[in-house]
Amino acid sequence: MSGETITRSQLSEAVYQEVGLSRNESADLLESVLTKISNTLAGGESVKISSFGSFSVRSKGQRIGRNPKTGEEVPILPRKVLVFRPSQVLKSKISGLPVEQPSPPTFGSSEFE
Amino acid sequence: MTGVDLAEEGGKTMTKSELIAYLAEENPHLYQRDVERIVTTIFDEIASALSRGDRVELRGFGAFSVKQRDARIGRNPRTGEAVQVDAKRVPYFKTGKQLRDKLNNN
């Protein structure tokens, strides 16, 4: 699916349109939201946005990885990763999108008719 | 899976309303109901972008996108019975580099 890419500027424009703060302040508030969520997660706390989804932090243990090019074994250090779990509401909004079907086998040469 | 545990186990959770309360406190010149509309607008906007099949890229934080899961034969874990699972689209989030580093205190 060749969709567009939305960035901070469209999101803060939406805030500007909806609330009537200045464009600058709308952009600042968007940034405050993202910063607060980031800091909370960095502190080990989860963040749950109802009807959107939840972000939580998982600790991954050390494991042995392999350099795919050289085959060499390298230790992957224990680290934390962020997991996003979409809410049921968000999932059902998106599941309605058309799905690309694998092209069925074609018999004959209808392609060049 | 080895060496994996949920950091959220017994951990705290910040909810949307706690986020709103925090922002309202930081911005005393705004009404709490405006802060509420701001936060709601941001997440609604992300959700509707995704439902159009668009991607939302917030540099430093992460990117939301829609991925396709192909149809597969699943199995009811209780009965072992095979079930057809249709192809579907699901929301996906990839953490931004800056946030990933922040989680690991780099």
Side-chain angles (χ1 to χ4, degrees), chain A:
Chain A
M1 192 179 315
S2 56
E4 280 174 57
T5 297
I6 306 302
T7 62
R8 277 177 174 75
S9 65
Q10 287 99 320
L11 291 188
S12 63
E13 180 67 20
V15 170
Y16 166 76
Q17 298 285 347
E18 177 72 27
V19 189
L21 303 174
S22 72
R23 283 202 160 84
N24 259 333
E25 201 168 12
S26 303
D28 287 349
L29 270 145
L30 169 61
E31 215 48 55
S32 302
V33 168
L34 299 178
T35 305
K36 180 60 178 169
I37 294 176
S38 303
N39 290 342
T40 303
L41 292 165
E45 223 178 297
S46 302
V47 177
K48 186 174 180 174
I49 307 294
S50 60
S51 81
F52 185 79
S54 63
F55 301 88
S56 54
V57 181
R58 262 189 170 191
S59 300
K60 293 238 178 189
Q62 176 164 343
R63 64 188 170 91
I64 304 297
R66 209 175 269 279
N67 180 328
K69 207 167 283 186
T70 64
E72 193 189 351
E73 286 191 348
V74 272
I76 297 175
L77 297 175
R79 66 201 196 286
K80 289 182 174 159
V81 295
L82 179 54
V83 185
F84 172 65
R85 295 198 60 213
S87 73
Q88 211 43 251
V89 178
L90 183 60
K91 279 191 195 167
S92 55
K93 266 185 193 167
I94 285 158
S95 63
L97 285 172
V99 175
E100 285 161 32
Q101 296 298 341
S103 36
T106 43
F107 298 104
S109 54
S110 54
E111 243 179 294
F112 301 110
E113 64 197 358

Side-chain angles (χ1 to χ4, degrees), chain B residues 74-83:
Chain B
R75 217 164 261 285
N76 180 329
R78 198 178 301 232
T79 62
E81 191 188 353
V83 274

Side-chain angles (χ1 to χ4, degrees), chain B residues 26-87:
Chain B
E26 292 287 287
N27 297 277
H29 60 294
L30 298 179
Y31 290 111
Q32 170 136 351
R33 63 162 187 272
D34 284 339
V35 177
E36 200 168 334
R37 280 169 69 196
I38 291 164
V39 174
T40 300
T41 301
I42 291 170
F43 290 103
D44 281 358
E45 207 61 29
I46 297 174
S48 46
L50 292 173
S51 68
R52 293 190 300 266
D54 290 349
R55 173 186 160 79
V56 180
E57 198 175 297
L58 303 167
R59 213 153 272 257
F61 183 78
F64 296 92
S65 59
V66 177
K67 287 208 165 183
Q68 170 152 342
R69 298 272 179 261
D70 287 329
R72 62 188 167 87
I73 305 295
R75 217 164 261 285
N76 180 329
R78 198 178 301 232
T79 62
E81 191 188 353
V83 274
Q84 168 73 28
V85 181
D86 291 338

